[in-house]
Amino acid sequence: MSHAAVNDRPASPPKGWLNRFLNGVEKAGNKLPDPAMLFLYALLIVWVGSWVLSQFQFDLVNPRTGEAVVVNNLLTGAGLAEFLSTMVTTFTGFAPLAAIVLLALALSPADSPLRAADGSLTTFAAPVMKSIVPLIFLLFILPGIVYGFVAGSFKSGKDVIDAMSATMNQMGSYMVMAFFCALFIKAFGDSNLGTLLALSGAEVLHALALPGEVTIVGMILLTASVNLVVGSASAKWALISPILVPMLMAVGISPELTQAAYRVGDSASNIITPLMVFFPLVVVYCQQYVKSTGIGTLVSMMLPYSLAFLVSWTIFLLLYRALGFPLGLQAPYVYPAP
């Protein structure tokens, strides 16, 4: 058989239902528009959804404010003006664009030379505010240069300059994607649509009145699902804990165990939600190795891990509870505590 004939042979279909399912997820996901355009379309959907749902009143109460949930219409004149006026700060304040730990340590002493004369860090008189761009530059470039020479990738200064130029070219697509992602996430938060979905899910779980162990699993699944639309862990807990903690206490489950279940669900689905602020960064990073990587590729690749973590940690928590191992210091499983 000739080499050409071998190359012309059709690819074998993936074996097993799981491989076929993940292959379908990847194909369907990669048929979506470019990630940057997807976030733009999602932004438009949020705008329209906020306009439609703002016409209705809801009985759900936001536990953080004590007031009924109101969907904010983002298509008003004031809403669009606020969107335009904060567009730049929304982008520059996008979490994946920030830099931290060494700088934070340098700023911690009260007499740090990076502070202003009065000890402030936020005034424009503070040297750190005047030096933030070169500080970020140094925090990234110095470890890269050291690694390059140690690994043998760099032989001279020209190699460093060539690498920097190539990196800036590769960052272009990420900056575009991050721009639209930042605008979408801010609009989604401002609209209160995520709050509405989170509280609705908590109310449904409350109404089911399931047995204790089943309720724990329901708490985990609810948190993992809400995590797909509300990225902030603290925001999710603030929204659903006032509903679920008292409900679980009523069936003898302690708040500590409720929070443990919440942590399991919150961590398992982070990597498969585009609302995670680092999701665009992960997509672009994967594209450095596989140019055709899209949202579908990343989700299909990480979905088995996400489900495996979700199932294994759920079983682990239930077994941990069944065997009576200490949940923590003075942290009981039951309420009231024995």
Side-chain angles (χ1 to χ4, degrees):
M1 184 180 294
S2 67
H3 180 70
V6 172
N7 289 340
D8 291 339
R9 179 182 297 170
S12 301
K15 298 180 180 179
W17 66 267
L18 180 59
N19 286 333
R20 290 195 297 270
F21 170 73
L22 294 176
N23 188 58
V25 170
E26 179 177 5
K27 288 183 177 180
N30 287 344
K31 287 182 180 180
L32 295 173
D34 180 86
M37 293 303 299
L38 187 63
F39 285 118
L40 175 59
Y41 296 148
L43 173 63
L44 298 178
I45 292 173
V46 167
W47 278 349
V48 174
S50 71
W51 169 65
V52 173
L53 294 178
S54 66
Q55 313 301 317
F56 299 90
Q57 293 182 344
F58 301 94
D59 296 330
L60 297 172
V61 175
N62 188 330
R64 291 184 293 181
T65 63
E67 301 176 351
V69 174
V70 176
V71 175
N72 297 320
N73 183 3
L74 302 181
L75 290 181
T76 62
L80 292 175
E82 195 271 343
F83 171 78
L84 292 174
S85 64
T86 60
M87 182 182 291
V88 174
T89 55
T90 297
F91 176 54
T92 57
F94 193 45
L97 300 178
I100 50 182
V101 176
L102 292 178
L103 181 59
L105 293 176
L107 294 173
S108 58
D111 58 348
S112 170
L114 295 176
R115 293 177 177 267
D118 60 356
S120 174
L121 291 173
T122 57
T123 63
F124 288 105
V128 66
M129 296 299 293
K130 300 177 180 179
S131 311
I132 193 66
V133 173
L135 283 172
I136 294 176
F137 174 74
L138 291 174
L139 285 174
F140 278 91
I141 194 174
L142 292 179
I145 292 176
V146 171
Y147 174 82
F149 279 106
V150 172
S153 303
F154 295 159
K155 303 297 184 183
S156 65
K158 183 179 184 301
D159 295 332
V160 176
I161 300 301
D162 290 342
M164 293 173 63
S165 301
T167 299
M168 293 307 298
N169 289 334
Q170 296 168 355
M171 283 296 293
S173 60
Y174 169 69
M175 297 298 285
V176 174
M177 188 192 311
F179 174 72
F180 290 110
C181 182
L183 296 180
F184 161 65
I185 290 177
K186 182 179 186 301
F188 192 76
D190 291 345
S191 68
N192 273 345
L193 292 176
T195 300
L196 179 65
L197 292 173
L199 293 178
S200 298
E203 289 287 350
V204 170
L205 183 58
H206 183 278
L208 292 176
L210 301 172
E213 290 76 8
V214 181
T215 302
I216 292 176
V217 176
M219 172 73 173
I220 293 173
L221 296 178
L222 171 67
T223 304
S225 301
V226 172
N227 194 37
L228 301 177
V229 294
V230 181
S232 170
S234 58
K236 285 193 297 293
W237 178 249
L239 288 172
I240 64 178
S241 63
I243 299 174
L244 296 183
V245 169
M247 177 190 77
L248 297 181
M249 289 169 65
V251 296
I253 297 176
S254 69
E256 292 86 352
L257 180 55
T258 300
Q259 188 174 75
Y262 168 82
R263 290 298 181 184
V264 170
D266 175 60
S267 60
S269 58
N270 279 329
I271 193 58
I272 60 173
T273 170
L275 280 179
M276 181 183 69
V277 293
F278 293 100
F279 192 88
L281 183 61
V282 177
V283 172
V284 173
Y285 185 81
C286 291
Q287 288 174 346
Q288 305 305 310
Y289 300 93
V290 180
K291 297 296 183 182
S292 61
T293 297
I295 290 179
T297 305
L298 181 59
V299 171
S300 66
M301 180 172 60
M302 299 310 301
L303 186 59
Y305 296 97
S306 180
L307 294 176
F309 284 134
L310 184 66
V311 173
S312 60
W313 287 343
T314 299
I315 295 174
F316 176 82
L317 179 60
L318 294 176
L319 287 176
Y320 200 87
R321 174 177 180 259
L323 294 174
F325 291 128
L327 185 61
L329 295 176
Q330 298 182 344
Y333 287 99
V334 298
Y335 180 86

